[in-house]
Amino acid sequence: MRYDITNIAIEDYLHDLMPPRDEVLANLEARARQQGLSLVGPVQGQFLYLQALMMNARHALEVGITTGYAAIYIMKALRQTGGKMTAIERNPERVKLASEVIEAAGMRDLITIHLGEWRELLPSLRQEFDLIFLDILRNSSNDEQALQALELCVSLLSPGGVLIADNVLCSAQVLEEDASPLVRGIQRFNRAIMEHPLLESVIIPLRDGVSISRKRK
Ligand SMILES: C[S@@+](CC[C@H](N)C(=O)[O-])C[C@H]1O[C@@H](n2cnc3c(N)ncnc32)[C@H](O)[C@@H]1O
């Protein structure tokens, strides 16, 4: 089953309050609507932008970039902080699309995109990140992967670094007791970020649910 997390009229109200997007982001929103591509949208995009800016992020990582929409919001902050971004995506067509979009946004010099599976790529990254945006939780094929992704991200976070994960309320299906393996994985992820000895976390019912976890120093 799928339920609303927030009142749809409130979501529309928040969406309508957002200032008009530039041409690159507006085109992506239109394309995503037509082609069913996933993107966080302007309210959560602004949330990511402000988080990155307020924490003065210098090394950001996005797991699951799709079109580059969320990455552009994060890079708007990185352009001001002097930071750089790394991204991971397993779909070659999406890597190509995101690269073209980011080039059009004039941000190509700020990002390195790796093509491949996060399970293989995350352990191979040889640097720490102060901001990680994890956006693959709805793509898990079993109830173990969300926890695996969490542990890999925690090991890549610098002390004081922040992990933001999307879709942690999964259309409110986290309320179900007899949930699918994907949702069970997200339920386990949510419990783990709250009980993790290295993290302090909160979940916000923004859009499909966003978690914020800070790694203790
Ligand atoms: C929800 S979309 C990301 C949307 C993007 N963050 C945005 O808002 O602009 C998830 C993306 O993760 C990618 N993905 C899913 N599973 C993956 C995996 N195992 N390894 C790498 N990428 C993966 C998908 O191909 C998809 O493009």
Side-chain angles (χ1 to χ4, degrees), residues 1-180:
M1 283 181 75
R2 296 174 70 90
Y3 312 90
D4 295 335
I5 291 171
T6 47
N7 182 318
I8 293 299
I10 290 290
E11 289 218 354
D12 289 346
Y13 173 75
L14 296 178
H15 189 279
D16 291 347
L17 277 178
M18 297 311 295
R21 269 70 72 201
D22 64 26
E23 198 184 341
V24 173
L25 291 176
N27 284 343
L28 276 185
E29 288 174 21
R31 189 167 177 170
R33 273 194 300 275
Q34 287 157 9
Q35 301 178 6
L37 290 166
S38 180
L39 50 76
V40 293
V43 178
Q44 197 177 336
Q46 183 77 353
F47 172 83
L48 290 169
Y49 162 71
L50 287 172
Q51 285 287 337
L53 194 60
M54 288 186 297
M55 61 180 285
N56 199 27
R58 300 293 175 89
H59 303 285
L61 169 66
E62 182 178 22
V63 188
I65 192 173
T66 314
T67 63
Y69 185 91
I72 287 175
Y73 273 99
I74 294 170
M75 285 189 286
K76 280 174 190 271
L78 297 179
R79 203 157 47 186
Q80 298 172 64
T81 63
K84 287 269 162 50
M85 181 149 187
T86 302
I88 287 174
E89 171 59 57
R90 71 175 171 194
N91 181 318
E93 284 166 22
R94 293 179 180 177
V95 169
K96 185 168 175 291
L97 170 61
S99 302
E100 289 166 2
V101 165
I102 288 165
E103 175 85 46
M107 293 173 159
R108 195 68 194 92
D109 56 323
L110 295 182
I111 190 166
T112 304
I113 306 177
H114 298 284
L115 169 63
E117 290 285 329
W118 60 258
R119 282 181 296 278
E120 282 146 32
L121 290 173
L122 288 177
S124 75
L125 296 177
R126 292 282 163 260
Q127 68 172 105
E128 289 191 329
F129 296 92
D130 50 10
L131 175 62
I132 301 180
F133 179 43
L134 181 67
D135 198 4
I136 46 74
L137 291 184
R138 270 189 178 273
N139 296 90
S140 301
S141 52
N142 60 48
D143 65 355
E144 298 286 332
Q145 285 178 359
L147 281 186
Q148 288 167 4
L150 173 63
E151 284 311 324
L152 288 170
C153 287
V154 172
S155 68
L156 285 170
L157 273 182
S158 53
V162 172
L163 169 66
I164 300 179
D166 197 15
N167 307 113
V168 296
L169 297 178
C170 200
S171 307
Q173 293 173 76
V174 288
L175 298 177
E176 294 173 2
E177 281 179 18
D178 189 18
S180 67

